[in-house]
C-alpha cells in the first residue's frame, strides 16, 4: 500500500515531490506513487521510477482536458479513494491549489498549505511545516485526517535521480460531465527557462521606469548566464512577463539575486530569500529590500546598472563555481 | 440578482515581526482590517450588481469587535454585512470557515452568485473558495480577472500560471477573483454618510445557523503544534555615495571577497 501519493500537472514538480517523498518513505518503510491524469497516457511514465516512484497510477479520459478543476478533482479523489494513501502531496500551482482543496473537502480531509517540510510521527501521524503570514513564519501542524493532504510550491523540494522503473497501473475512475465549459484556452508566452533553475536572477521591480530599460537587466543577467525575473505588479499591471517571483508566484534559490527597483514587500521577498546572496539596487534609501539584502546600493538603477556592467566586464568577473 | 461577497477581517501580515534571537512571532499590536483582496471582491460584486441589477450582501466570519470596520465596505454599495461571530478561539481553519459560510449562504437564500477572493491576506491557504464550492455543490470559476453574465451563465477569464482560459458556468455559481481583476472604488463622502445607516447584522453559528460550535472545533483537521518566525541572516551592508564607478567597484570587490564571483582583478 503506498504511503505517499504525489500529483502535479507539472512534470518537474512531480519529480520534486517524488524526491522528498522517496527520502521520507525510505526512512519509514513506505511506498511512493505518482498520479497521472490526462486525456491519454504518455508512454514514458515508467521512467518516473528513476525519480522515486514505485507505482504510477493513471486515469485517462476525454473529460480530463484544459485542467478543468471539476473533472481533475473527480479523478484525483477517485484515485485516493482507491489507493488509500496516508499522505497526498500536490504541487501548489493554481490548478493544484484548487483541486487539492476540493478533493480534501470531498474526503473530509485536511490540507497543509504551502508545506516546506513534513514527517510522520511514531504513531504514523503526518506533521507538516507550513509557511504562514506571507512567509514571515512557519507553523508546524499535525494533520488529524487520513488521508492527509499537503500543497508544496515548485522548487521547495529537490528532484533526486536514482535507478528504478515504476509499475504503471491504469485505474478506472468515474468522472462526471463538468458544469464548467472551457470556451477558450490561451497559452501564455513562455518565460524561457525556469527561473527556479537559474544560478543568477536579476529581479526587476516597479522602480524600473520603462520597458525599454529591460535591456539593462538582460545585459547584467547575460554576464552570468542568468535570467531576468520580476515582481507581481511588473507582470500583472505592466504585463512585461507572464509570471512573477513571490509568495503567489515563483520561488528561486539562486546563487546571486540582484534586485533592481524592488521595494521589498514580504510577499515578494519570500520568493527570493532562499538565494545565497542578495544585492539590492534602489534609489529609495528607506526601501524595505535593504533589510533583506546582503549588499544594498542606494542609486538610480538606470544610471548604476550600466556602470556595474562595465565594471564586471572590465574586471572579467564571473560567477564563482 | 442576489450577490454574496465573502470578505475577511484579516490580520495585517506585513506588520508581523520576528524576534531574531528567540524566533518568536511578535503578534501583539498587529492590526486587523478588511483585507486588500477583499476590496477587489467587493468591487467585483458591486460592479456586477450595477450591470445586472439586484443586491449585494457581504458575509464574514470574525470577532464581534470587527463590527465598526465595515463602514467603507458598506459605502462601496452593499445592502448589509453579515458578521458571523467567530465560534472558535483565534484564526478559523479554512475547512471550518467553508462550512460556516456555506450555511450562511443557504440561510440568505436564493443566492445567484458568490464572490470570494482567490486567497485571504493572512491565512493564505487558497482553500476556502474551492471548499465552499464543494459544500454548496455549485460551480466555481477560480482566479478570475473578469466576470460577465451572458445568457444566464457566468463567463470569466481565469488566470492560471501558463494560460488564460475563458470559461462559463451556469448560475448559481461562485467566482474567486485575483487582485488584478479591478481597481476598487473609493466611496464618496455622501456614500460614507449613507453607509452609517446600513446594518452590520451579527449572526451566531448556533442560534442563527444551527451549527454546533463544539462540532466545528472538532472539525478542524489541522492541529497547530508550534510556530516560529523565519529569520534570514543577511549582511545588510549599505553602499552609497555620488561616485557610481567607485560604488560598482566596491560591490564587485565585496562579491569577489565572498567568493560569489571569481576571476577579476
Amino acid at each position: 500500500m503506498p504511503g505517499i501519493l504525489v500529483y502535479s500537472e507539472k512534470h518537474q514538480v512531480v519529480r520534486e515531490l517524488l524526491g522528498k517523498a522517496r527520502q521520507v518513505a525510505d526512512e519509514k518503510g513506505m511506498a511512493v506513487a505518482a498520479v497521472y491524469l490526462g486525456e491519454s497516457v504518455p508512454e514514458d511514465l515508467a521512467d518516473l521510477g528513476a525519480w522515486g516512484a514505485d507505482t504510477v497510477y493513471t486515469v485517462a479520459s476525454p473529460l480530463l482536458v484544459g485542467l478543468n478543476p471539476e473533472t481533475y478533482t473527480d479523478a484525483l479523489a477517485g484515485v485516493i479513494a482507491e489507493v488509500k494513501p496516508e499522505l497526498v502531496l500536490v504541487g501548489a500551482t493554481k490548478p493544484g491549489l484548487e483541486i487539492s482543496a476540493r478533493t480534501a473537502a470531498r474526503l473530509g480531509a485536511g490540507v497543509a498549505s504551502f508545506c516546506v517540510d513534513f514527517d510522520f510521527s511514531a504513531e504514523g501521524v503526518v506533521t507538516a511545516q507550513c509557511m504562514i503570514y506571507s512567509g514571515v513564519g512557519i507553523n508546524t501542524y499535525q494533520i488529524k485526517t487520513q488521508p492527509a493532504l499537503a500543497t508544496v510550491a515548485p522548487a521547495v523540494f529537490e528532484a533526486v535521480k536514482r535507478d528504478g522503473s515504476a509499475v504503471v497501473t491504469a485505474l478506472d475512475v468515474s468522472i462526471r460531465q463538468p458544469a464548467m465549459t472551457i470556451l477558450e484556452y490561451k497559452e501564455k508566452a513562455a518565460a524561457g527557462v525556469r527561473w527556479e533553475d537559474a544560478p543568477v536572477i536579476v529581479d526587476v521591480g516597479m522602480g524600473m521606469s520603462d520597458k525599454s530599460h529591460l535591456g539593462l537587466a538582460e545585459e547584467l543577467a547575460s554576464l552570468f548566464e542568468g535570467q531576468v525575473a520580476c515582481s507581481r505588479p511588473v507582470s500583472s499591471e505592466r504585463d512585461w512577463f507572464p509570471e512573477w517571483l513571490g509568495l503567489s508566484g515563483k520561488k528561486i534559490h539562486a546563487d546571486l539575486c540582484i534586485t533592481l527597483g524592488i521595494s521589498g514587500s514580504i510577499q515578494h521577498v519570500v520568493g527570493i530569500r532562499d538565494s545565497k546572496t542578495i544585492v539590492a539596487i534602489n534609489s529609495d534609501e528607506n526601501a524595505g529590500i535593504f533589510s533583506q539584502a546582503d549588499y544594498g546600493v542606494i542609486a538610480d538603477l538606470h544610471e548604476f546598472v550600466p556602470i556595474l556592467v562595465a565594471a564586471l566586464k572590465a574586471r572579467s568577473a564571473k560567477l564563482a563555481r | 440578482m442576489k450577490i454574496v461577497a465573502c470578505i475577511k477581517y484579516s490580520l495585517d501580515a506585513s506588520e508581523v515581526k520576528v524576534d531574531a534571537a528567540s524566533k518568536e512571532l511578535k503578534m501583539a499590536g498587529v492590526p486587523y482590517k478588511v483585507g486588500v483582496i477583499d476590496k477587489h471582491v467587493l468591487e467585483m460584486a458591486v460592479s456586477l450588481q450595477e450591470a445586472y441589477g439586484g443586491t449585494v450582501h457581504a458575509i464574514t466570519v470574525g470577532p464581534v469587535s470587527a463590527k465598526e470596520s465595515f463602514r467603507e465596505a458598506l459605502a462601496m454599495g452593499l445592502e448589509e454585512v453579515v458578521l458571523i461571530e467567530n465560534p472558535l478561539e483565534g484564526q478559523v481553519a479554512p475547512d471550518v470557515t467553508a462550512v460556516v459560510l456555506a450555511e450562511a449562504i443557504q440561510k440568505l437564500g436564493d443566492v445567484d452568485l458568490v464572490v470570494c477572493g482567490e486567497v485571504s491576506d493572512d491565512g493564505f491557504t487558497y482553500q476556502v473558495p474551492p471548499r465552499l464550492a464543494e459544500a454548496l455543490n455549485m460551480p466555481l470559476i477560480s482566479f478570475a480577472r473578469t466576470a460577465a453574465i451572458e445568457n444566464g451563465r457566468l463567463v470569466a477569464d481565469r488566470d492560471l500560471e501558463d494560460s488564460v482560459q475563458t470559461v462559463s458556468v451556469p448560475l448559481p455559481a461562485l467566482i474567486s477573483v485575483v487582485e488584478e481583476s479591478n481597481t476598487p472604488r473609493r466611496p464618496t463622502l455622501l456614500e460614507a454618510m449613507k453607509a452609517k445607516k446600513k446594518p452590520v447584522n451579527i449572526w451566531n453559528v448556533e442560534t442563527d445557523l444551527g451549527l454546533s460550535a463544539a462540532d466545528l472545533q472538532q472539525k478542524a483537521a489541522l492541529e497547530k503544534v508550534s510556530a516560529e518566525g523565519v529569520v534570514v541572516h543577511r549582511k545588510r551592508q549599505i553602499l552609497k555615495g555620488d561616485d557610481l564607478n567607485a560604488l560598482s567597484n566596491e560591490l564587485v570587490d565585496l562579491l569577489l571577497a565572498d567568493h560569489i564571483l571569481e576571476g577579476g582583478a
Side-chain angles (χ1 to χ4, degrees):
Chain A
M1 190 175 85
I4 307 173
L5 194 69
V6 313
Y7 173 72
S8 177
E9 78 284 0
K10 295 214 184 270
H11 305 308
Q12 177 59 23
V13 178
V14 170
R15 292 173 181 180
E16 292 164 6
L17 299 181
L18 283 173
K20 176 70 180 178
R22 184 76 261 163
Q23 181 208 327
V24 175
D26 282 347
E27 288 164 16
K28 307 289 171 186
M30 290 175 163
V32 175
V35 179
Y36 183 87
L37 311 174
E39 241 181 318
S40 59
V41 178
E43 278 172 19
D44 57 358
L45 285 179
D47 296 353
L48 283 174
W51 299 97
D54 299 305
T55 313
V56 182
Y57 294 105
T58 65
V59 180
S61 162
L63 294 173
L64 292 171
V65 285
L67 292 171
N68 189 316
E70 297 174 36
T71 57
Y72 277 73
T73 300
D74 280 354
L76 183 63
V79 171
I80 293 170
E82 184 104 6
V83 174
K84 300 185 176 57
E86 273 106 313
L87 173 63
V88 182
L89 300 176
V90 179
T93 59
K94 284 180 168 180
L97 288 164
E98 176 167 0
I99 71 164
S100 58
R102 281 175 171 270
T103 299
R106 286 192 201 171
L107 302 171
V111 183
S113 298
F114 295 95
C115 171
V116 292
D117 201 2
F118 67 88
D119 203 352
F120 292 85
S121 73
E123 298 78 36
V125 178
V126 177
T127 56
Q129 298 198 306
C130 299
M131 285 207 295
I132 54 160
Y133 304 140
S134 318
V136 178
I138 303 276
N139 268 2
T140 302
Y141 297 106
Q142 283 200 334
I143 311 177
K144 297 188 290 182
T145 57
Q146 188 175 343
L149 280 80
T151 56
V152 180
V156 166
F157 297 145
E158 206 175 328
V160 183
K161 188 125 200 231
R162 64 205 272 274
D163 289 331
S165 177
V167 176
V168 181
T169 304
L171 295 180
D172 188 16
V173 168
S174 141
I175 300 173
R176 295 165 295 176
Q177 274 296 336
M180 177 186 285
T181 308
I182 299 172
L183 304 169
E184 198 182 350
Y185 187 96
K186 286 175 292 219
E187 296 278 335
K188 289 185 188 175
V193 307
R194 294 197 342 146
W195 291 339
E196 294 95 321
D197 301 330
V200 175
I201 288 284
V202 177
D203 176 17
V204 172
M206 293 296 270
M208 181 172 281
S209 59
D210 191 274
K211 195 174 182 181
S212 62
H213 300 305
L214 265 184
L216 295 175
E218 276 154 13
E219 193 178 3
L220 180 57
S222 71
L223 295 179
F224 309 109
E225 292 173 18
Q227 293 286 320
V228 181
C230 70
S231 65
R232 182 167 180 164
V234 169
S235 168
S236 64
E237 289 176 24
R238 293 182 174 172
D239 215 15
W240 293 0
F241 295 87
E243 49 196 0
W244 59 80
L245 296 175
L247 185 63
S248 57
K250 305 276 171 189
K251 291 159 201 71
I252 57 163
H253 38 86
D255 292 328
L256 175 62
C257 174
I258 304 171
T259 76
L260 306 181
I262 289 279
S263 58
S265 72
I266 178 68
Q267 288 85 351
H268 181 72
V269 168
V270 74
I272 63 169
R273 72 180 177 196
D274 292 333
S275 299
K276 239 181 255 166
T277 297
I278 297 179
V279 173
I281 298 162
N282 196 311
S283 55
D284 175 7
E285 200 162 334
N286 298 316
I289 191 67
F290 289 127
S291 67
Q292 305 288 337
D294 295 291
Y295 301 111
V297 180
I298 299 167
D300 183 328
L301 74 94
H302 309 90
E303 294 172 21
F304 184 73
V305 173
I307 292 169
L308 177 62
V309 166
L312 287 163
K313 279 185 181 164
R315 299 176 64 175
S316 338
K318 295 266 174 273
L319 191 67
R321 272 185 295 270
Chain B
M1 198 163 71
K2 193 166 181 177
I3 303 171
V4 173
C6 299
I7 59 174
K8 187 173 181 191
Y9 180 64
S10 304
L11 175 146
D12 186 350
S14 64
E15 295 292 325
V16 178
K17 304 289 182 235
V18 179
D19 183 292
S22 68
K23 291 192 173 182
E24 200 178 323
L25 290 163
K26 295 191 274 192
M27 305 305 294
V30 175
Y32 281 76
K33 60 181 186 186
V34 173
V36 173
I37 186 70
D38 302 294
K39 302 273 174 67
H40 297 279
V41 169
L42 292 165
E43 177 61 39
M44 176 71 85
V46 171
S47 53
L48 287 169
Q49 180 270 328
E50 287 168 344
Y52 305 104
T55 53
V56 180
H57 310 254
I59 58 173
T60 186
V61 182
V64 173
S65 59
K67 193 168 188 274
E68 297 304 315
S69 308
F70 300 105
R71 287 262 170 81
E72 192 186 342
L74 285 164
M76 287 177 75
L78 308 179
E79 293 294 304
E80 61 171 338
V81 170
V82 174
L83 168 58
I84 305 157
E85 192 178 348
N86 180 359
L88 310 175
E89 290 288 312
Q91 293 275 326
V92 189
D95 38 358
V96 175
T97 304
V99 168
V100 172
L101 290 178
E103 205 61 41
I105 289 164
Q106 271 153 2
K107 180 174 165 124
L108 282 169
D110 301 319
V111 171
D112 300 289
L113 184 64
V114 178
V115 187
C116 301
E118 58 169 333
V119 65
S120 69
D121 283 21
D122 53 354
F124 218 85
T125 68
Y126 287 87
Q127 289 186 39
V128 171
R131 282 183 178 273
L132 190 53
E134 292 288 327
L136 291 168
N137 196 24
M138 283 183 196
L140 160 68
I141 300 182
S142 51
F143 310 111
R145 275 194 178 222
T146 62
I149 310 290
E150 289 172 16
N151 304 320
R153 289 175 73 93
L154 174 67
V155 181
D157 284 349
R158 301 178 75 206
D159 187 346
L160 302 179
E161 269 119 37
D162 305 330
S163 61
V164 177
Q165 299 180 336
T166 306
V167 301
S168 84
V169 296
L171 294 172
L174 291 92
I175 185 166
S176 80
V177 302
V178 296
E179 276 175 38
E180 291 78 22
S181 58
N182 56 47
T183 306
R185 68 193 64 196
R186 291 169 176 273
T188 62
L189 195 58
L190 184 64
E191 286 165 335
M193 296 291 286
K194 281 185 185 164
K196 285 186 178 169
K197 297 200 185 82
K198 292 182 179 177
V200 176
N201 295 311
I202 294 175
W203 287 6
N204 177 282
V205 289
E206 300 203 324
T207 55
D208 292 299
L209 298 181
L211 296 167
S212 151
D215 283 355
L216 292 173
Q217 182 86 53
Q218 279 292 314
K219 207 173 164 52
L222 267 55
E223 190 176 311
K224 186 165 95 179
V225 181
S226 62
E228 67 173 31
V230 175
V231 180
V232 180
H233 295 283
R234 291 288 170 193
K235 295 197 177 77
R236 300 184 185 182
Q237 186 172 338
I238 299 295
L239 286 64
K240 62 178 179 181
D242 294 332
D243 183 349
L244 297 185
N245 275 309
L247 282 187
S248 67
N249 279 309
E250 194 183 342
L251 177 60
V252 176
D253 287 341
L254 288 163
L255 294 172
L256 287 168
D258 286 351
H259 303 292
I260 300 297
L261 300 184
E262 65 180 15

